[in-house]
Amino acid sequence: LKKIKPGRDYYLHLFITDMLSFLMLIIFQSDFTGIPFSDLNQFLSQNAIPRAFVAVLLSQFLLIVVDRIIYLYQSVISKLILQIILVFIYHGLIFFYFPYVGDPNSTGMYGSAGLMIFYLLKCVYLYFSAMQICMGYPRFTSGSGFLMSGYGDFHSIVFS
């Protein structure tokens, strides 16, 4: 972990997979909360959102925030610790908890398209996260984004 690494920026890949995972949690919420979609419509019409749904979305959002903080501090050790924790948490939740939340007689993850897609997205996230750990963080990342790469009327209006 202490040797000099070339540094690559994988944050955009990580962010996109996290946002797709967040979208999957919203679309296939019944796979993660055990609440049928028809009941969720009833809850929303009564302006009451189930706690399990809020907890799942909040945990995904907090993961995005923690990942961004680690990225800003460019801490490879923190990223490695987060990676190890997430591997155990995701596999425990996806294989042992979520499939049996709504139906104890469930066939497991394989009976749910939402869980399988979410698992694949998290595998992609873990892959890019491992690549970030292997390659290290880039030395200079500020100002190198697409929106901040030039000057002109567009940049003057947007960033003023």
Side-chain angles (χ1 to χ4, degrees):
L1 293 175
K2 296 286 183 185
K3 67 180 184 175
I4 297 174
K5 298 178 181 185
R8 294 274 318 259
D9 191 5
Y10 290 102
Y11 184 72
L12 182 62
H13 303 87
L14 294 169
F15 184 73
I16 288 172
T17 56
D18 269 343
M19 292 312 287
L20 289 173
S21 298
F22 195 79
L23 187 64
M24 292 303 299
L25 290 172
I26 293 171
I27 293 172
F28 294 102
Q29 61 81 29
S30 62
D31 294 336
F32 301 98
T33 62
I35 300 167
F37 191 72
S38 59
D39 289 349
L40 183 70
N41 288 334
Q42 180 182 0
F43 284 125
L44 292 177
S45 67
Q46 297 172 355
N47 289 334
I49 299 174
R51 288 186 186 134
F53 186 53
V54 173
V56 167
L57 291 178
L58 185 63
S59 62
Q60 178 65 27
F61 179 74
L62 287 176
L63 172 66
I64 294 171
V65 170
V66 167
D67 196 30
R68 180 64 180 174
I69 291 170
I70 291 172
Y71 177 78
L72 290 175
Y73 281 104
Q74 296 185 348
S75 174
V76 175
I77 294 173
S78 298
K79 187 72 172 177
L80 178 64
I81 292 169
L82 180 67
Q83 178 88 347
I84 292 168
I85 291 170
L86 289 179
V87 165
F88 286 111
I89 288 176
Y90 285 140
H91 285 85
L93 287 175
I94 291 173
F95 286 107
F96 301 112
Y97 180 72
F98 286 143
Y100 307 105
V101 168
D103 182 16
N105 300 322
S106 176
T107 59
M109 180 183 111
Y110 306 106
S112 168
L115 279 177
M116 290 193 314
I117 295 170
F118 184 77
Y119 180 69
L120 290 174
L121 283 171
K122 285 305 169 182
C123 286
V124 170
Y125 171 85
L126 292 171
Y127 169 75
F128 282 121
S129 187
M131 291 301 295
Q132 187 75 72
I133 292 168
C134 288
M135 301 301 268
Y137 289 100
R139 295 201 184 272
F140 302 107
T141 57
S142 64
S144 62
F146 166 70
L147 291 176
M148 296 187 225
S149 62
Y151 57 91
D153 292 336
F154 173 75
H155 293 82
S156 170
I157 293 169
V158 172
F159 295 110
S160 60

